[in-house]
Amino acid sequence: MSMFRRSFIATCAGTALALSAGAVMAAGKEVKLGYALPQTSHYGAGANGWSQAIEKSLGGKFSFKQFPASALGGERELIEGLQLGTVEAAIVSTGALSNFVNEVGVVDIPFLFRDTAHARAVLDGKFGQDLLAKFQQRGLVALAWGEQGFRHLTNNKHAVKSVADMKGLKIRVTENPVHITAFRTLGASPTPMSWPEVISALQQGTIDGQENPISVLASTKLWEVQKHLTLTAHVYAPVVFIMSPSFWGGLSDAEKAAFTQGAKSGAAASRAFVDAVEKKGVEEAKSHGMQVVDKVDQAAFRTALEPAYQQYAKKFGQKTLDTIANVK
Ligand code: PAF
């Protein structure tokens, strides 16, 4: 081999080595980020927003590795993973959260928020930020409120048009005492279940229905396993961007500020995704043959829930409920 050819090969090999070392360095410290739904969902939008913001502000020092679609387990396991430090970051619904941070259950009360703007104002204002601070005492670092939208009811038995139609329906609910009380009070038979079990339970008919926002319905193609959709909008569903305290403890103040700001960007991306999917998701469900009841008498649902509201007021304090109602 000529000198030239040997030195050319050596240069190429050296460059390749430097490039691959560079790629490893650019990959940065790994941050495992888990969530329940596909990467094409509002959770994925939030995760991408968070990850891109960190990439931009901290220049490749950290790199998010996403685990969508419950790859790290159900939401309860994910939260436990954060507490143990086996997972660095997660985006979770409030479904299982109130078992860890009791006070958070207040946001799960049916018809608590007048509309999306009210919910966002409460969560982004003093009340919501004080609530995030409470996570610290339970071994969790909560950084921002993202969104899923308002939850609606689906089932395979019949069209639900009124409270009376709820009677006896076996509805999967999250492992959330506030939701369980609400569905029991409405006459349904609530079955708490972790999300990864839901689709097969619907297929097998061990439950009749479930309740989730349009964002979840569309990203999981729930029309494949559910016939009826009723736009009950019975409860607003936020999500929380959370980090593990052991990872958080190793960050500098500037890095903590960047992760917090990044979570806020991710949260905004999840809300933008929900705004878009809310408009087209119902039409998509109809086009796949779902029977849709567009509206229910929400006042009648609220009246039927009166015994539950008395329990919630005792649990969370009427003052807390009034504080939320008074946010403009
Ligand atoms: O119903 C639930 O458990 C949640 O809304 C879901 C679908 C896991 C998204 O967080």
Side-chain angles (χ1 to χ4, degrees), residues 36-37 42-43 70 75 91-93 95 148 151 172-174 193-195 210-213 216 237 239:
L37 296 173
H42 48 302
Y43 278 75
S70 308
E75 292 196 322
I91 306 174
V92 291
S93 74
Q148 303 210 75
R151 300 179 86 94
R172 175 271 176 176
V173 292
T174 63
M193 189 182 280
S194 176
W195 176 254
Q210 65 84 55
E211 45 82 58
N212 253 303
V216 177
V239 295

Side-chain angles (χ1 to χ4, degrees), residues 133-241:
K134 294 208 162 80
F135 284 60
Q136 201 100 36
Q137 299 147 24
R138 315 294 150 104
L140 296 164
V141 182
L143 301 179
W145 294 101
E147 185 171 276
Q148 303 210 75
F150 277 88
R151 300 179 86 94
H152 305 289
L153 185 71
T154 67
N155 86 96
N156 276 333
K157 286 272 174 193
H158 52 247
V160 171
K161 295 181 179 160
S162 66
V163 177
D165 296 328
M166 302 282 291
K167 199 169 166 43
L169 278 183
K170 211 163 173 205
I171 302 296
R172 175 271 176 176
V173 292
T174 63
E175 300 158 271
N176 180 312
V178 169
H179 287 178
I180 295 167
T181 300
F183 278 83
R184 190 169 294 133
T185 307
L186 289 170
S189 172
T191 310
M193 189 182 280
S194 176
W195 176 254
E197 297 162 39
V198 174
I199 302 293
S200 63
L202 289 170
Q203 273 163 339
Q204 287 158 18
T206 50
I207 47 173
D208 301 320
Q210 65 84 55
E211 45 82 58
N212 253 303
I214 296 301
S215 56
V216 177
L217 180 113
S219 62
T220 59
K221 299 185 171 49
L222 267 172
W223 45 78
E224 290 177 354
V225 287
Q226 292 279 261
K227 278 195 209 112
H228 300 280
L229 164 64
T230 303
L231 299 178
T232 44
H234 53 276
V235 65
Y236 174 79
V239 295
V240 191
F241 286 61

Side-chain angles (χ1 to χ4, degrees), residues 83-106:
Q83 288 179 320
L84 293 169
T86 52
V87 184
E88 286 79 37
I91 306 174
V92 291
S93 74
T94 52
L97 261 180
S98 60
N99 299 306
F100 295 83
V101 186
N102 296 337
E103 297 90 330
V104 100
V106 72

